[in-house]
Amino acid sequence: MTQLKFFDFKSASLSEKAALMGRAGSSPFSSLGHSVGVRFSQELSSRRGSGVFTKASYSSSSNGTYMSKRALSSVDKEKFAAENYFYQINGTSVSSSSLFSRNVKALDACDDEYGGVVVDPDRLPVNPDAFASTLRFSLSHWKMKGKKGIWLKLPLERSELVPVAVKEGFQYHHAERGYVMLTYWIPEGPCMLPTNATHQVGVGGFVINDKNEVLVVQEKFYAPSFADLWKIPTGFILESEEIYSGAVREVKEETGVDTEFVELIAFRHAHNLAFDKSDLFFVCMLKPLSAQIKVDDLEIQAAKWMPLVEFVAQPLIQEDGMFKKIIDICIARLGKHYCGLLPHQVVSKFDGRPSCLYYNVIDDQDVNCKGN
């Protein structure tokens, strides 16, 4: 069986190159004549550049690389290797060592709208060695093409490629359950790629019924100082979930009570919280559509309808400036002295996608102070 050995001519020592070239003298390439010998001599003396030789008539490229004219006419110029790799074949099928070349193609990818490249995660090389050589060429290729940021998404099942990419200069950008995203900035100067998500988004549902009772919960997991606190249901919104629908869902999950969104009352912006991320917390006023409570046993210790005056009178509410202000705003809304925000579906020509814009339009004839 023929044994195929990978040989990187650029990274080889001088003695290895000399030995390889000495063997090449008795190979089928010896018929190429004096021009080949000149090429090898230049490589030995300058230790720069590289040579690729095939069986055919030969021409020299601008960088001194010898290629067959036939290969030059058929090669994909967009993806031809910027680096040349040598292989050595040893076996009984040949009388002596010989050399041949292989074209290395760039990773399958598409251009983004900012002059960057997004690598196709479903068409990566099958093993780390092939990935390493292809990635090195791809970076050279993209640099010559004037590309900027490179986005490399590696699925969980291809995690063995992560250290290879990091070794080539890629940096972590973010990770999800099924993949890690790495990036590489080609131009000199500061990286202009957007950073990972900087915020987490939470919602709270202020639910009050016709009896002036507020829907409140006590959580199973809390700091000791909050042991006696009854609070409004809160939680994080899901990916691609609207603020108003997230508030309705959280109340349903924690208490079993169905609600309807009324208005966005206020929001808080805080920094350096979980994992040093910033936090946006939106307080929504909701109207109850049912009354029966069914507690979520995983997160909630207890839930009940609590008279508004008792809820406000809690020491932890009175002593906390932010929570007290939120309650004051909610009470002002109940007294029609405050108008919150309603979501309006709009489409922007910048991206052509629908989104929610929260605002209110106050009508002097509207005694309920509802957005139109």
Side-chain angles (χ1 to χ4, degrees):
M1 180 178 293
T2 300
Q3 182 182 7
L4 183 64
K5 295 183 178 180
F6 184 74
F7 187 84
D8 185 348
F9 197 76
K10 282 187 174 181
S11 62
S13 66
L14 192 60
S15 60
E16 289 173 332
K17 292 178 181 180
L20 180 60
M21 292 171 187
R23 290 194 297 269
S26 59
S27 75
F29 297 111
S30 59
S31 61
L32 293 176
H34 180 68
S35 61
V36 176
V38 171
R39 175 59 187 156
F40 278 139
S41 300
Q42 290 174 345
E43 171 60 31
L44 282 171
S45 61
S46 62
R47 302 188 68 181
R48 62 186 179 188
S50 58
V52 176
F53 302 90
T54 58
K55 294 180 180 179
S57 60
Y58 285 80
S59 62
S60 177
S61 65
S62 60
N63 65 357
T65 300
Y66 289 87
M67 295 176 55
S68 71
K69 291 181 180 178
R70 179 178 299 176
L72 280 171
S73 63
S74 61
V75 72
D76 179 1
K77 293 182 180 180
E78 289 295 313
K79 290 188 174 183
F80 185 71
E83 299 181 35
N84 302 310
Y85 296 94
F86 282 77
Y87 293 81
Q88 181 180 355
I89 301 178
N90 294 310
T92 58
S93 60
V94 292
S95 59
S96 61
S97 300
S98 62
L99 301 174
F100 68 92
S101 66
R102 184 189 71 171
N103 293 346
V104 182
K105 293 186 176 181
L107 293 168
D108 288 292
C110 61
D111 295 343
D112 65 23
E113 57 185 311
Y114 304 103
V117 174
V118 180
V119 178
D120 187 345
D122 298 321
R123 303 186 66 181
L124 297 170
V126 295
N127 62 73
D129 289 336
F131 175 70
S133 60
T134 306
L135 184 59
R136 281 193 295 270
F137 164 67
S138 299
L139 291 173
S140 298
H141 171 71
W142 292 326
K143 185 175 182 179
M144 289 188 295
K145 296 287 290 181
K147 297 302 180 182
K148 299 178 181 177
I150 312 301
W151 297 89
L152 177 62
K153 180 180 180 180
L154 296 180
L156 182 63
E157 59 271 19
R158 303 305 311 275
S159 59
E160 76 278 6
L161 303 182
V162 173
V164 178
V166 172
K167 185 177 180 180
E168 295 302 323
F170 278 79
Q171 296 182 338
Y172 293 117
H173 188 269
H174 69 274
E176 295 290 346
R177 186 182 299 270
Y179 72 88
V180 59
M181 181 69 78
L182 298 101
T183 60
Y184 188 102
W185 183 250
I186 294 178
E188 295 183 0
C191 176
M192 300 301 292
L193 293 175
T195 61
N196 184 25
T198 59
H199 287 67
Q200 58 187 13
V201 182
V203 289
F206 185 82
V207 186
I208 190 164
N209 61 19
D210 295 337
K211 300 177 182 179
N212 242 19
E213 295 173 327
V214 181
L215 182 61
V216 294
V217 299
Q218 282 187 333
E219 296 182 337
K220 277 191 173 182
F221 309 101
Y222 51 82
S225 57
F226 298 150
D228 299 322
L229 175 66
W230 289 94
K231 57 184 283 292
I232 63 175
T234 60
F236 293 110
I237 66 171
L238 304 177
E239 186 175 354
S240 301
E241 185 178 41
E242 298 290 351
I243 294 170
Y244 62 86
S245 57
V248 170
R249 176 189 52 79
E250 279 293 341
V251 170
K252 176 68 174 180
E253 288 179 356
E254 293 190 357
T255 68
V257 174
D258 295 309
T259 60
E260 178 183 63
F261 176 81
V262 178
E263 286 176 358
L264 172 61
I265 298 300
F267 70 90
R268 179 214 62 184
H269 192 197
H271 306 285
N272 300 317
L273 298 183
F275 305 106
D276 294 323
K277 297 295 184 180
S278 297
D279 181 274
L280 285 168
F281 178 70
F282 294 88
V283 181
C284 301
M285 179 168 284
L286 307 176
K287 177 183 177 181
L289 301 179
S290 64
Q292 185 175 358
I293 293 175
K294 184 179 180 181
V295 172
D296 174 17
D297 293 332
L298 294 177
E299 297 182 77
I300 304 302
Q301 181 69 36
K304 67 178 181 179
W305 292 99
M306 186 178 198
L308 178 60
V309 291
E310 293 182 18
F311 176 66
V312 175
Q314 293 182 96
L316 286 173
I317 296 294
Q318 290 296 317
E319 295 169 3
D320 188 287
M322 186 191 72
F323 277 107
K324 187 176 185 303
K325 186 62 177 179
I326 289 175
I327 301 305
D328 289 343
I329 293 173
C330 292
I331 292 175
R333 175 62 185 87
L334 293 173
K336 301 173 184 177
H337 302 301
Y338 179 88
C339 192
L341 307 177
L342 280 175
H344 299 262
Q345 290 287 335
V346 296
V347 177
S348 171
K349 287 189 176 182
F350 285 103
D351 55 20
R353 299 179 180 180
S355 58
C356 276
L357 182 64
Y358 286 78
Y359 64 92
N360 62 52
V361 179
I362 300 176
D363 188 342
D364 293 337
Q365 302 300 320
D366 186 358
V367 296
N368 291 320
C369 191
K370 287 182 63 177
N372 295 319

